[in-house]
Amino acid sequence: DQQVKQNSPSLSVQEGRISILNCDYTNSMFDYFLWYKKYPAEGPTFLISISSIKDKNEDGRFTVFLNKSAKHLSLHIVPSQPGDSAVYFCAASEAGSARQLTFGSGTQLTVLP
Amino acid sequence: NAGVTQTPKFQVLKTGQSMTLQCAQDMNHNSMYWYRQDPGMGLRLIYYSASEGTTDKGEVPNGYNVSRLNKREFSLRLESAAPSQTSVYFCASTTDRFNQPQHFGDGTRLSIL
């Protein structure tokens, strides 16, 4: 049973437009959510995170929104750039348990020039 | 700034052979983790170590053993490799401070024939 789901395996967006990546979770004990970006042949790189006490966190072109009632989070990238083309993973953890991360299956974002 | 270093980067094994994957971090982190990533799936936790001298099973521990050699190093051992263990293995580390992300190495690509 997947506790973190990314239902869109791929997404294509035109350069300069907004990219919206979505993630759903089922475990109500999750209290910390993260987005990682991954290029081929490299490890995941931390992008942005949000605690369950917030509903929005912004860092430059990247904004993460959390809707706890819907158990849904999204990552907005504005404006999208060709260098943003990568696989994006949503991850979640709960307090205690040494902060083990549960990952979604990833979304391949392609930003077209 | 090396961060998390994994060796080797690539390895091909025959079924039944043994192998140890090495991981070292230079960020003075207490917690370290081993994940595997298979095609079309997110990263899954194999084992983790919340502090030097402790290790615990994650989601998919069968067929693996780990050693937290010291604060810097956390190794993953396959005693008798099986084709189902063909995967990309990632090591990660993080601090104990509240809500800090995990930092990942670039992975070990392991093929078992």
Side-chain angles (χ1 to χ4, degrees):
Chain A
D1 179 33
Q2 274 189 294
Q3 297 188 69
V4 178
K5 295 181 182 180
Q6 295 177 256
N7 291 318
S8 298
S10 63
L11 174 69
S12 292
V13 170
Q14 208 68 35
E15 181 179 4
R17 306 294 289 269
I18 184 172
S19 295
I20 300 176
L21 294 92
N22 293 304
C23 178
D24 297 295
Y25 62 95
T26 58
N27 186 347
S28 58
M29 298 301 293
F30 287 147
D31 65 349
Y32 181 52
F33 304 88
L34 310 89
W35 285 94
Y36 282 86
K37 175 180 179 180
K38 186 182 180 306
Y39 293 118
E42 294 184 9
T45 302
F46 170 70
L47 195 57
I48 192 170
S49 64
I50 188 167
S51 165
S52 60
I53 62 173
K54 296 185 175 181
D55 55 17
K56 177 182 174 181
N57 188 29
E58 192 171 355
D59 184 2
R61 296 186 297 113
F62 303 93
T63 303
V64 56
F65 295 92
L66 176 62
N67 182 334
K68 288 185 290 294
S69 61
K71 293 189 174 68
H72 177 84
L73 65 157
S74 61
L75 174 68
H76 292 208
I77 306 173
V78 183
S80 300
Q81 300 173 355
D84 295 330
S85 297
V87 177
Y88 289 77
F89 290 100
C90 168
S93 71
E94 55 182 284
S97 70
R99 283 296 179 190
Q100 300 174 54
L101 291 179
T102 301
F103 282 83
S105 56
T107 296
Q108 170 71 58
L109 173 66
T110 302
V111 180
L112 305 167
Chain B
N1 293 337
V4 178
T5 302
Q6 292 184 236
T7 56
K9 294 190 184 304
F10 303 94
Q11 186 70 48
V12 178
L13 293 178
K14 294 181 180 179
T15 298
Q17 287 185 315
S18 62
M19 165 132 200
T20 299
L21 280 60
Q22 307 287 352
C23 174
Q25 51 91 9
D26 62 3
M27 297 174 281
N28 201 35
H29 287 168
N30 282 327
S31 299
M32 297 185 73
Y33 310 80
W34 276 105
Y35 294 87
R36 62 179 286 174
Q37 186 194 9
D38 300 300
M41 300 182 72
L43 283 72
R44 293 182 293 166
L45 183 65
I46 305 170
Y47 270 94
Y48 65 98
S49 170
S51 62
E52 186 179 352
T54 69
T55 60
D56 286 285
K57 295 178 180 179
E59 181 186 353
V60 288
N62 291 346
Y64 305 96
N65 286 302
V66 289
S67 295
R68 184 73 183 268
L69 304 171
N70 47 56
K71 190 171 185 178
R72 290 187 64 248
E73 298 172 289
F74 187 38
S75 63
L76 178 71
R77 183 162 178 83
L78 287 70
E79 289 290 353
S80 180
S84 61
Q85 294 177 305
T86 293
S87 189
V88 182
Y89 292 85
F90 291 100
C91 177
S93 69
T94 191
T95 70
D96 291 337
R97 289 186 305 167
F98 183 69
N99 283 351
Q100 292 298 308
Q102 293 180 18
H103 299 269
F104 285 81
D106 282 339
T108 294
R109 284 146 188 83
L110 185 60
S111 293
I112 300 160
L113 307 177

